[in-house]
């Protein structure tokens, strides 16, 4: 395919969707249910949070020390929409993770001190007490639950995308990737899944796939557009959003669903209050408005849970 078309498309998504970087059934090419109809590269900015009222019952579940201070420190991984990105000013953050966290804070009567941090650095830092909580489209896995507590607010997961000239039609088994180069972000569930299953190619008598990891998703997409990767693995919602912004690439399919949650130090006393706040946002309609804004209605959860088992 013409490289000039790919270069122009990649420039668009780098500026509009990956300005600064730090994880359905039916037609895979279709936009997700409730997707915004704004022009390519436009990030929705409507306010769906400021009307949230304090949820006194949820706030009462907070530790007395937290209620007294009124502030929590949150580490946010800023990567790509619809999860978290920067607006064109290069300073203002926006996305599902941002809106849900801000809405929960309002419901609990708290102010968030937000610090931008690299995705792979957040979970280890929670254990040290550097942050009170973190967001970064963190999928709830059994491995992570050993050291991290989660409060769920979304259902996303793993998926694949390729260039239009790829012969891949769908990936239902990782042995279909044998002999190919797979690009993904470092420190993610995608990297873990790929590395843990690489041996299956040799067992099937095939050439192993090669996993290339990058520190940010802009680099992952660049590797695909420039032919250094044959396929990319990332979040379902992120892939769907990204392919809608670029020419010459297509979403293949969902591979595995995972719950997504706020991440906390193991044994946190904050979890019950955050769970109650998320469920309160579902009850008053705020939750649905946030998901509609970002075009991910299919990722709604029925109710928030504290560290549920990994979806198998």
């Amino acid at each position: 395919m013409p490289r000039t078309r790919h270069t122009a498309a990649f420039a668009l998504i780098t500026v509009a969707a990956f300005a600064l970087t730090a994880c359905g059934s039916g037609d895979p090419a279709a936009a997700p249910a409730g997707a915004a109809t704004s022009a390519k590269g436009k990030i929705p900015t409507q306010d769906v949070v400021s009307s949230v009222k304090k949820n006194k019952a949820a706030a009462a579940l907070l530790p007395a020390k937290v209620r007294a201070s009124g502030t929590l420190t949150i580490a946010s991984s800023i990567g790509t929409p619809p999860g978290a990105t920067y607006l064109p000013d290069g300073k203002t953050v926006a996305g599902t993770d941002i809106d849900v966290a801000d809405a929960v804070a309002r419901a609990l009567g708290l102010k968030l001190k937000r610090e931008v941090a690299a995705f792979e650095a957040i979970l280890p830092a929670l254990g040290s007490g550097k942050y009170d909580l973190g967001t970064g489209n963190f999928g709830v896995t059994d491995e992570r639950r050993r050291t991290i507590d989660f409060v769920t607010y979304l259902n996303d997961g793993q998926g694949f995308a390729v260039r239009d000239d790829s012969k891949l039609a769908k990936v239902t088994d990782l042995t279909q990737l044998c002999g190919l180069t797979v690009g993904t972000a470092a420190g993610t569930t995608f990297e873990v899944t790929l590395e843990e299953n690489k041996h299956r190619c040799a067992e099937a008598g095939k050439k192993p796939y090669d996993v290339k990891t990058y520190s940010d998703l802009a680099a992952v997409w660049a590797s695909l557009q420039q032919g250094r990767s044959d396929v990319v693995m990332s979040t379902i919602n992120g892939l769907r959003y990204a392919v809608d912004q670029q020419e010459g690439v297509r979403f293949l399919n969902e591979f595995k669903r995972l719950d997504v949650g706020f991440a906390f130090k193991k044994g946190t006393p904050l979890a019950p209050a955050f769970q109650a706040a998320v469920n309160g946002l579902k009850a008053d309609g705020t939750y649905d408005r946030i998901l509609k804004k970002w075009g991910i209605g299919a990722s709604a959860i029925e109710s928030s849970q504290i560290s549920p088992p990994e979806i198998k």
Side-chain angles (χ1 to χ4, degrees), residues 23 119-120 123-124 136-150 158 185-192 258-261 263-266 307-308 310:
C23 162
F119 177 91
E120 62 272 21
L123 297 185
N137 204 68
F138 290 116
V140 181
T141 67
D142 290 338
E143 177 66 25
R144 286 176 173 169
R145 289 195 307 134
R146 295 174 185 173
T147 56
I148 298 292
D149 279 344
F150 293 94
Q158 305 174 341
T188 60
T189 59
F190 319 117
E191 180 184 7
V192 172
L258 286 172
D259 287 323
V260 171
F264 302 87
K265 179 180 179 179
K266 191 70 177 178
S307 297
E310 178 179 346

Side-chain angles (χ1 to χ4, degrees), residues 190-267:
F190 319 117
E191 180 184 7
V192 172
T193 297
L194 290 167
E195 292 294 350
E196 286 183 345
N197 288 276
K198 186 183 290 187
H199 65 91
R200 296 177 56 205
C201 291
E203 292 171 355
K206 300 179 180 181
K207 180 181 178 181
Y209 51 75
D210 185 23
V211 182
K212 296 292 186 182
T213 60
Y214 300 89
S215 60
D216 62 75
L217 284 172
V220 175
W221 284 106
S223 75
L224 182 68
Q225 294 280 21
Q226 296 166 6
R228 289 179 283 111
S229 294
D230 301 302
V231 56
V232 297
M233 187 178 188
S234 190
T235 65
I236 295 166
N237 290 333
L239 290 173
R240 285 188 180 276
Y241 189 100
V243 299
D244 189 51
Q245 309 302 312
Q246 303 179 79
E247 295 181 19
V249 294
R250 55 188 168 88
F251 177 74
L252 279 187
N253 61 282
E254 297 181 7
F255 183 70
K256 179 182 179 180
R257 280 274 174 179
L258 286 172
D259 287 323
V260 171
F262 294 107
F264 302 87
K265 179 180 179 179
K266 191 70 177 178

Side-chain angles (χ1 to χ4, degrees), residues 48-56 58 96-109 112 151-153 262 273-291 300-304:
V48 291
V49 173
S50 63
S51 62
V52 174
K53 305 299 182 184
K54 185 174 181 178
N55 182 332
K56 295 182 179 179
T96 312
D97 288 348
I98 307 304
D99 281 346
V100 173
D102 288 350
V104 166
R106 282 180 172 271
L108 294 176
L112 294 178
V151 174
T152 61
Y153 61 86
F262 294 107
F274 271 72
Q275 178 190 33
V278 172
N279 286 330
L281 295 174
K282 286 187 62 66
D284 70 18
T286 301
Y287 179 84
D288 288 341
R289 287 191 290 273
I290 293 173
L291 268 58
I301 57 173
E302 291 186 7
S303 63
S304 179

Side-chain angles (χ1 to χ4, degrees), residues 28-85:
T37 57
S38 56
K40 288 181 181 292
K42 297 292 186 180
I43 299 173
T45 57
Q46 61 266 41
D47 178 8
V48 291
V49 173
S50 63
S51 62
V52 174
K53 305 299 182 184
K54 185 174 181 178
N55 182 332
K56 295 182 179 179
L61 298 174
L62 289 168
K65 184 177 179 180
V66 175
R67 291 200 305 273
S69 69
T71 303
L72 290 177
T73 300
I74 181 172
S76 297
S77 171
I78 310 301
T80 63
T85 189

